[in-house]
Amino acid sequence: MKTLVVALGGNALLQRGEALTVDNQYRNIDKVAATLGQLAKKYRLALVHGNGPQVGLLALQNMAYQEVAPYPLDVLVAESQGMIGYMLAQRLAQKADSPPVTTVLTRMMVDRNDPAFESPEKFIGPVYDPAQQAQLESQYGWVMKADGRYLRRVVPSPAPIKIVDSEAIELLLQNNHIVICSGGGGVAMVEGEAGAQGVDAVIDKDLSAALLAQQIGADGLVILTDADAVYQHWGTPEQCAIRHATPDELAPFAKSDGSMGPKVAAVSDFVRRLGKPAYIGALHQIDEILAGKAGTCISM
């Protein structure tokens, strides 16, 4: 069977505005598991998920207990990988005829000189009222930025350069496991005097999924998101979905601002490097996306 790397958007785990309860997350995961369970009958699957809301919640819980110093962000990212990976694995494994499901705690090397460390932009945690900005920044030392009409904490998001655990991921895929990996973009690591060490950062999960697809030589990369495709003239009466495009044709959409730009940049890099197709679209249309009837297919 061919191997697909599938990146799950945040709506796969939590709808915007929902409380971060276990029940809410399981309800959303149940919908994901039904779709991915069918896909696993046709492909070997490596699943990458986001963790922005979850790691932000862990950070808040972490600071609430003041008897010990708060745990650093790299440890919290690892915790979120375990939590979300466990929940996804539980539901996927319950599907009839499911292949084995394994969650891999995944470490990701980044460059300690990445400019992202000086300009945090990655949203984590819940949304706040803009009137709370001064209090939150003073109380916790956070950097806050606008997210729509709300306010959220932002942290550095350096580019991933190497997946430490890709060999284990490949071995599991070769043995027909569904592999949940690179959760939350992976635990950010830099080279230190004593070897790799964790840093306070959250890596973009779409960039990590693209890097994973490259390192394991996947046959395709799929980024599932709220939007059902990449659109030309978005937000105007002339908007229309782009069904097929080359990386060069999509280059004007690969901007760092907005939610679609990083996804376009990630899939375009994968297609250029491996010459294999990538897709962007909505979870419930996955079969149509892979058939070229929905979403956006990016190929050479």
Side-chain angles (χ1 to χ4, degrees), residues 1 3-4 40 43-47 98-104 168-180:
M1 292 194 294
T3 298
L4 283 183
Y43 299 92
R44 293 189 179 100
L45 292 183
L47 305 179
S98 172
V101 186
T102 302
T103 299
V104 176
I169 295 168
E170 285 187 84
L171 185 61
L172 288 163
L173 287 169
Q174 289 166 8
N175 284 274
N176 298 315
H177 286 233
I178 297 175
V179 185
I180 303 164

Coordinates of all heavy atoms in Angstrom, one line a residue, residues 1 3-4 40 43-47 98-104 168-180:
M1 N 0.8 -1.2 0.0 CA 0.0 0.0 0.0 C 0.9 1.2 0.0 O 2.0 1.2 0.5 CB -0.9 0.0 1.2 CG -2.0 -1.1 1.2 SD -3.2 -0.7 2.5 CE -2.3 -0.9 4.0
T3 N 1.9 5.1 1.1 CA 2.0 5.8 2.4 C 1.5 7.2 2.3 O 2.0 8.0 1.4 CB 3.4 5.7 3.0 OG1 3.8 4.4 3.2 CG2 3.5 6.5 4.3
L4 N 0.6 7.6 3.2 CA 0.1 9.0 3.2 C 0.5 9.6 4.6 O 0.3 9.0 5.6 CB -1.4 9.1 3.1 CG -2.0 8.9 1.7 CD1 -3.5 9.1 1.8 CD2 -1.5 9.9 0.7
A40 N -7.5 4.0 6.3 CA -6.4 3.1 6.7 C -6.5 1.8 6.0 O -5.6 1.0 6.0 CB -6.4 2.9 8.2
Y43 N -4.5 2.9 2.6 CA -3.1 3.5 2.7 C -2.5 3.1 4.1 O -3.2 2.9 5.1 CB -3.2 5.0 2.6 CG -3.8 5.5 1.3 CD1 -5.2 5.8 1.2 CD2 -3.0 5.8 0.2 CE1 -5.7 6.2 0.0 CE2 -3.5 6.2 -1.0 CZ -4.9 6.5 -1.0 OH -5.4 7.0 -2.2
R44 N -1.2 3.2 4.1 CA -0.4 3.3 5.3 C -0.5 4.7 5.8 O -0.2 5.6 5.0 CB 1.0 2.9 5.2 CG 1.2 1.4 4.9 CD 2.7 1.1 5.0 NE 3.0 -0.3 4.7 CZ 3.4 -0.8 3.5 NH1 3.7 0.0 2.5 NH2 3.7 -2.1 3.4
L45 N -0.9 5.0 7.0 CA -1.1 6.3 7.5 C -0.2 6.8 8.6 O 0.0 6.1 9.6 CB -2.6 6.5 8.1 CG -3.7 6.3 7.1 CD1 -5.0 6.5 7.8 CD2 -3.6 7.3 5.9
A46 N 0.4 8.0 8.4 CA 1.1 8.7 9.4 C 0.3 9.9 9.7 O 0.1 10.7 8.8 CB 2.5 9.0 9.0
L47 N -0.2 10.1 11.0 CA -1.1 11.1 11.3 C -0.3 12.2 12.2 O 0.3 11.8 13.2 CB -2.3 10.6 12.1 CG -3.1 9.5 11.5 CD1 -4.2 9.1 12.4 CD2 -3.6 10.0 10.1
S98 N -9.3 -2.6 12.3 CA -8.3 -1.5 12.4 C -6.9 -2.2 12.4 O -6.7 -3.1 13.2 CB -8.5 -0.6 13.6 OG -7.4 0.3 13.7
P99 N -5.9 -1.7 11.7 CA -4.6 -2.1 11.9 C -4.1 -1.6 13.2 O -4.7 -0.8 13.9 CB -3.8 -1.4 10.7 CG -4.6 -0.3 10.3 CD -6.0 -0.6 10.6
P100 N -2.9 -2.1 13.7 CA -2.4 -1.6 15.0 C -2.2 -0.1 14.9 O -1.8 0.4 13.9 CB -1.0 -2.4 15.1 CG -1.1 -3.5 14.2 CD -2.0 -3.1 13.1
V101 N -2.4 0.5 16.0 CA -2.2 2.0 16.1 C -1.1 2.3 17.2 O -1.2 1.8 18.3 CB -3.5 2.7 16.5 CG1 -3.3 4.2 16.5 CG2 -4.7 2.3 15.6
T102 N -0.1 3.1 16.8 CA 1.0 3.4 17.7 C 1.2 4.9 17.7 O 1.3 5.5 16.6 CB 2.3 2.7 17.3 OG1 2.0 1.3 17.3 CG2 3.4 3.0 18.2
T103 N 1.4 5.5 18.9 CA 1.8 6.9 19.0 C 3.3 7.0 19.3 O 3.7 6.3 20.3 CB 1.0 7.5 20.2 OG1 -0.4 7.5 19.9 CG2 1.4 9.0 20.4
V104 N 4.0 7.8 18.6 CA 5.4 8.0 18.8 C 5.7 9.4 19.3 O 5.3 10.4 18.7 CB 6.1 7.8 17.4 CG1 7.6 8.0 17.6 CG2 5.9 6.4 16.9
A168 N 12.1 5.2 13.6 CA 11.1 4.4 14.3 C 9.7 4.6 13.6 O 9.0 3.6 13.4 CB 11.0 4.9 15.7
I169 N 9.4 5.8 13.1 CA 8.1 6.0 12.4 C 8.1 5.1 11.1 O 7.1 4.4 10.8 CB 8.0 7.5 12.1 CG1 7.8 8.3 13.4 CG2 6.7 7.7 11.1 CD1 7.9 9.8 13.2
E170 N 9.2 5.1 10.3 CA 9.2 4.3 9.1 C 9.1 2.8 9.4 O 8.4 2.1 8.7 CB 10.6 4.6 8.4 CG 10.7 5.9 7.7 CD 12.0 6.0 6.9 OE1 11.9 5.5 5.7 OE2 12.9 6.6 7.4
L171 N 9.7 2.4 10.5 CA 9.7 0.9 10.8 C 8.3 0.5 11.1 O 7.8 -0.5 10.7 CB 10.6 0.6 12.0 CG 10.8 -0.8 12.4 CD1 11.3 -1.7 11.3 CD2 11.6 -0.9 13.6
L172 N 7.6 1.3 11.9 CA 6.2 1.0 12.2 C 5.3 1.1 11.0 O 4.4 0.2 10.8 CB 5.7 2.0 13.3 CG 6.2 1.9 14.7 CD1 6.0 3.1 15.5 CD2 5.6 0.7 15.4
L173 N 5.5 2.0 10.1 CA 4.7 2.1 8.9 C 4.9 0.8 8.0 O 4.0 0.3 7.4 CB 5.0 3.3 8.1 CG 4.5 4.7 8.7 CD1 5.1 5.8 8.0 CD2 3.0 4.7 8.6
Q174 N 6.2 0.4 7.9 CA 6.5 -0.8 7.2 C 5.8 -2.0 7.7 O 5.6 -3.0 7.0 CB 8.0 -1.0 7.1 CG 8.8 0.0 6.3 CD 10.3 0.0 6.5 OE1 10.8 -0.8 7.2 NE2 11.0 1.0 6.0
N175 N 5.5 -2.0 9.0 CA 4.8 -3.1 9.6 C 3.3 -2.8 9.7 O 2.6 -3.4 10.5 CB 5.4 -3.4 11.0 CG 6.7 -4.1 10.9 OD1 6.8 -5.4 10.8 ND2 7.8 -3.4 10.9
N176 N 2.8 -1.9 8.9 CA 1.4 -1.6 8.7 C 0.7 -1.1 9.9 O -0.5 -1.4 10.2 CB 0.7 -2.9 8.2 CG 1.2 -3.3 6.8 OD1 1.4 -2.5 5.9 ND2 1.5 -4.6 6.7
H177 N 1.4 -0.3 10.8 CA 0.8 0.4 11.9 C 0.2 1.7 11.4 O 0.8 2.4 10.5 CB 1.8 0.7 13.0 CG 2.2 -0.5 13.8 ND1 2.1 -0.5 15.2 CD2 2.6 -1.7 13.4 CE1 2.5 -1.7 15.6 NE2 2.8 -2.4 14.6
I178 N -0.9 2.2 11.9 CA -1.2 3.6 11.8 C -0.3 4.3 12.9 O -0.3 3.9 14.0 CB -2.7 3.8 12.2 CG1 -3.6 3.1 11.2 CG2 -3.0 5.3 12.2 CD1 -5.1 3.3 11.6
V179 N 0.4 5.3 12.4 CA 1.4 5.9 13.3 C 0.9 7.4 13.6 O 0.8 8.2 12.6 CB 2.8 5.9 12.7 CG1 3.8 6.5 13.7 CG2 3.2 4.5 12.3
I180 N 0.7 7.7 14.8 CA 0.4 9.1 15.3 C 1.7 9.7 15.7 O 2.4 9.2 16.7 CB -0.6 9.1 16.4 CG1 -1.9 8.3 15.9 CG2 -0.9 10.5 16.8 CD1 -2.8 8.0 17.1

